[in-house]
């Protein structure tokens, strides 16, 4: 089904407020979710409303979220997420980082004691639109083995980067350090689909195409030892250094088994501290034009900037509606009914 983005956002806000979040907090989280859904990244979108409701009902998600600034030292800060909704801690972190980068040139803000923060591009792009270059990472519950292992030790531990370009389309990459995000395996399991044989191993260390077996085993790092190194770095930087949990001490957000202890790290560079913003804009746009003018490989009609396809899809979704499958629509409508709302996505 195609769902109007304003309607989807309204539904998310209603459900989040019914869970105990404030008006502003619900709006922040809903915006992050709708952005992900609009880009086709449904694993980071309104799908998360169901685990949020379950965790609230189990008494394992204290709402409203009380994210606070714990440390504030020149170009650095630490945000405590209050074990609440990750998007709210993420918004506080990016606002703090941009402010500090404008004053100091470079700023790093770490987040501790939070939950699933959704799509990291939501925060790196917010910084980039302020004339910045941004890097962000976060850790997650163990789902991947380091290279050479066969049991979960690391999360999918994504890393994202965004660069101001002076246009509506930013350079924006947001990727798991595993071959694939674990959410795609959960989605395949929910839909009764198989997965490629290079995504994961089962509990015995064998490659598998069964998503249910993969969920009991572990994911594989992208690029073998290279992805493994990135995932280990993210865990140490985002989790250990921030004062949050790391490695096997993290818990999954998708099951009410206790606080997750997710950590995140955001570093922002103020371009104007290195060169005039207009000069950078001219250079980077020339760079992009040169890249796009290269000879195309067979089967390719265009060379895309990282994130360009997703940003185009988001703009299209805001005009034509967001694609959600029947199960997703049904889950949201059930949550709306539980919240006592009259709104329904399925007319």
């Amino acid at each position: 089904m195609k769902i109007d983005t304003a309607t989807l956002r309204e539904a998310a806000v209603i459900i989040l407020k019914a869970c105990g979040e404030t008006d502003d907090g619900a709006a922040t989280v809903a915006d992050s979710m709708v952005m992900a859904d609009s880009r086709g990244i449904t694993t980071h979108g309104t799908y998360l409303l169901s685990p949020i409701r379950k965790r609230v009902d189990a008494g394992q998600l204290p709402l409203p979220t009380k994210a606070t600034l714990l440390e504030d030292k020149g170009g650095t800060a630490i945000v405590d997420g209050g074990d609440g909704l990750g998007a709210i801690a993420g918004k506080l972190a990016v606002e703090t980082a941009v402010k500090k980068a404008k004053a100091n040139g470079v700023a790093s803000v770490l987040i501790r004691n939070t939950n699933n923060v959704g799509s990291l591009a939501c925060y790196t792009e917010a910084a980039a639109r302020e004339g910045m270059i941004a890097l962000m990472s976060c850790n997650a519950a163990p789902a991947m083995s380091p290279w050479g292992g066969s049991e979960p030790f690391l999360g999918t531990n994504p890393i994202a980067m965004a660069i101001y370009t002076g246009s509506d389309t930013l350079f924006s990459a947001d990727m798991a350090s595993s071959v694939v995000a674990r959410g795609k395996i959960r989605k395949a399991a929910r839909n009764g689909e198989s997965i490629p044989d290079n995504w994961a191993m089962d509990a015995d260390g064998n490659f598998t195409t069964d998503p249910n077996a993969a969920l009991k085993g572990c994911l594989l790092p992208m690029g073998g030892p290279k992805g493994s190194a990135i995932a280990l770095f993210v865990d140490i930087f985002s989790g250990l250094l921030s004062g949050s949990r790391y490695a096997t001490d993290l818990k999954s957000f998708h099951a009410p088994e206790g606080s997750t202890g997710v950590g995140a790290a955001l570093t922002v560079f103020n371009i104007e501290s290195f060169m005039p913003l207009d000069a950078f804009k001219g250079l980077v746009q020339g760079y992009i034009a040169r890249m796009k003018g290269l000879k195309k490989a067979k089967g390719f009609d265009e060379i895309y900037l990282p994130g360009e396809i997703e940003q185009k899809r988001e703009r299209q979704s805001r005009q034509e509606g967001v694609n959600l499958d029947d199960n997703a629509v049904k889950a949201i409508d059930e949550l709306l009914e539980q919240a006592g709302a009259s709104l329904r996505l399925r007319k």
Side-chain angles (χ1 to χ4, degrees), residues 22-46:
T22 63
D23 290 354
D24 288 345
T28 294
V29 179
D31 286 340
S32 173
M33 290 179 170
V34 172
M35 172 183 164
D37 280 338
S38 297
R39 295 184 173 195
I41 310 169
T42 55
T43 53
H44 294 63
T46 49

Side-chain angles (χ1 to χ4, degrees), residues 148-166:
S150 64
E151 60 180 306
F153 181 75
L154 298 162
T156 54
N157 293 7
I159 186 166
M161 55 208 79
I163 302 174
Y164 167 85
T165 62

Side-chain angles (χ1 to χ4, degrees), residues 215-239:
L215 290 171
K216 295 177 182 177
C218 60
L219 299 175
L220 297 170
M222 66 172 181
K226 296 178 182 179
S228 179
I230 291 171
L232 289 163
F233 175 86
V234 167
D235 204 26
I236 294 169
F237 186 34
S238 303

Side-chain angles (χ1 to χ4, degrees), residues 13-346:
V13 167
I14 289 170
I15 293 165
L16 291 163
K17 288 173 63 177
C19 288
E21 194 49 75
T22 63
D23 290 354
D24 288 345
T28 294
V29 179
D31 286 340
S32 173
M33 290 179 170
V34 172
M35 172 183 164
D37 280 338
S38 297
R39 295 184 173 195
I41 310 169
T42 55
T43 53
H44 294 63
T46 49
Y47 155 74
L48 293 170
L49 290 168
S50 291
I52 287 171
R53 179 75 262 181
K54 289 177 182 177
R55 293 185 72 84
V56 168
D57 290 345
Q60 294 185 4
L61 183 60
L63 298 184
T65 301
K66 296 179 181 178
T68 56
L69 201 59
L70 281 185
E71 304 279 350
D72 189 348
K73 301 175 180 177
T76 66
I78 297 177
V79 170
D80 188 302
D83 194 26
L85 296 173
I88 296 172
K91 182 180 180 182
L92 175 58
V94 74
E95 290 175 345
T96 302
V98 167
K99 181 179 179 180
K100 286 180 170 292
K102 287 181 177 179
N104 299 285
V106 178
S108 287
V109 178
L110 306 186
I111 304 173
R112 67 170 62 156
N113 187 30
T114 191
N115 287 290
N116 189 308
V117 296
S119 174
L120 297 185
C122 180
Y123 316 104
T124 54
E125 289 184 17
R129 295 194 189 282
E130 293 288 332
M132 306 283 163
I133 294 175
L135 296 168
M136 189 172 185
S137 61
C138 73
N139 63 3
M144 181 174 72
S145 172
W147 187 247
S150 64
E151 60 180 306
F153 181 75
L154 298 162
T156 54
N157 293 7
I159 186 166
M161 55 208 79
I163 302 174
Y164 167 85
T165 62
S167 73
D168 289 340
T169 301
L170 302 167
F171 176 111
S172 179
D174 182 356
M175 65 198 91
S177 51
S178 55
V179 172
V180 67
R182 200 166 192 232
K184 290 189 176 180
I185 295 181
R186 291 193 189 95
K187 185 177 180 180
R190 292 195 303 272
N191 296 338
E193 300 168 348
S194 61
I195 60 173
D197 62 5
N198 65 340
W199 280 12
M201 294 184 288
D202 63 20
D204 296 320
N206 302 309
F207 297 115
T208 182
T209 60
D210 180 350
N212 292 296
L215 290 171
K216 295 177 182 177
C218 60
L219 299 175
L220 297 170
M222 66 172 181
K226 296 178 182 179
S228 179
I230 291 171
L232 289 163
F233 175 86
V234 167
D235 204 26
I236 294 169
F237 186 34
S238 303
L240 189 153
L241 182 63
S242 72
S244 205
R245 294 181 185 172
Y246 49 91
T248 55
D249 294 334
L250 287 147
K251 296 184 183 297
S252 173
F253 185 72
H254 300 273
E257 53 187 20
S259 61
T260 64
V262 168
L266 172 66
T267 300
V268 172
F269 303 83
N270 182 5
I271 292 170
E272 287 194 308
S273 293
F274 302 92
M275 70 166 60
L277 192 61
D278 283 344
F280 180 84
K281 174 182 173 180
L283 289 170
V284 77
Q285 289 186 355
Y287 182 95
I288 294 167
R290 288 173 61 189
M291 179 200 75
K292 286 182 168 291
L294 294 172
K295 183 180 178 180
K296 312 299 185 293
K298 289 184 178 179
F300 290 84
D301 297 323
E302 185 174 352
I303 300 173
Y304 288 100
L305 192 67
E308 183 176 359
I309 293 174
E310 290 79 7
Q311 291 170 71
K312 283 185 174 181
R313 187 180 295 133
E314 180 182 1
R315 289 192 285 268
Q316 184 177 3
S317 293
R318 295 192 182 279
Q319 291 180 348
E320 302 175 4
V322 177
N323 280 313
L324 289 182
D325 62 36
D326 288 343
N327 289 335
V329 171
K330 180 181 178 183
I332 292 173
D333 279 347
E334 289 176 352
L335 290 170
L336 286 168
E337 182 178 5
Q338 186 178 349
S342 59
L343 178 66
R344 296 290 185 275
L345 299 185
R346 189 184 298 278

